[in-house]
Amino acid sequence: MINIGIIIFDGAEELDFVGPYEIFSIMNTLDDQKGINVFTIAEKKELVKCANNLKVMPDFSFEEAPEIDVLLIPGGDGRRKEMHNETLRDFVLKTAKTAKYTTSVCTGVFILAEAGLLDGKKATTWKGVLNELDNYEKIEMVKERFVVEGNVITSAGVTAGMDMALYLVEVLFGSDARKFVAEEIEYKY
C-alpha cells in the first residue's frame, strides 16, 4: 500500500490537487496493484473552501494523518497565507523526512521554499510567479513542466501537476501503468 497525502487549505487551486488525485486513484483499478491510498489532509478536519469555491472535507487533520509515502502540496492564492503557517511548515518538514517524494504543484512551491526544502535545488512553478521564485537566492529557478531534484519534485501550473503525477506513476509502478492511466483519462502525455 502506498499512501499519497494531499494537503488542502482555503484558497487551494482545485485542479492542482484534484487532477493528481484522479491520476493516483486510477491505479487502484489495475488488477495487479496492491493499492494506493490517496487522501486529503488539512491543518484541521474542517471544511476547506478552495480557490473556485469548491468545498472539500479533508480526510485527515495533520495530527491524524497516517504515514505518507508521497506528499503533494497544491498552489492557489491561499498559499500566500499558508507559506507562513508554522503548523503547516512543521507538518511538511516532519513528513518530508520519511516520505519517498515531496512534491508541489504551481505556487505550492512557495510552501516548500519557506520550509527550506528547496535550498540548493532547482525548482519551477506557474509562469506568472517565476520571478517571485527567482527571489529565493538558495533556489535555482527553471522554467520547466516539472523538475525532479532527488526526492523533491516541483511542477509548473495546474495541468503540469498532472504530468508530474503521471511521472510518479511511472517511477512507482512502471511505464505500462503510466500508459494505462493516461489512456484511461484520455490525457496526452
Side-chain angles (χ1 to χ4, degrees), residues 83 110 113-114 131-140:
M83 62 194 268
F110 294 103
E114 288 294 322
N131 289 340
E132 184 180 348
L133 183 60
D134 203 28
N135 289 331
Y136 286 82
E137 294 178 6
K138 295 181 180 179
I139 301 169
E140 183 182 341

Side-chain angles (χ1 to χ4, degrees), residues 1 5 8 20 25 52-53 59 64 74 103 105 109 123 130 176 180 186:
M1 180 68 71
I8 57 174
S25 295
N52 295 297
N53 296 317
D59 296 309
E64 303 168 327
T103 71
V105 179
V109 72
L130 281 168
D176 287 345
F180 169 80
E186 297 183 358

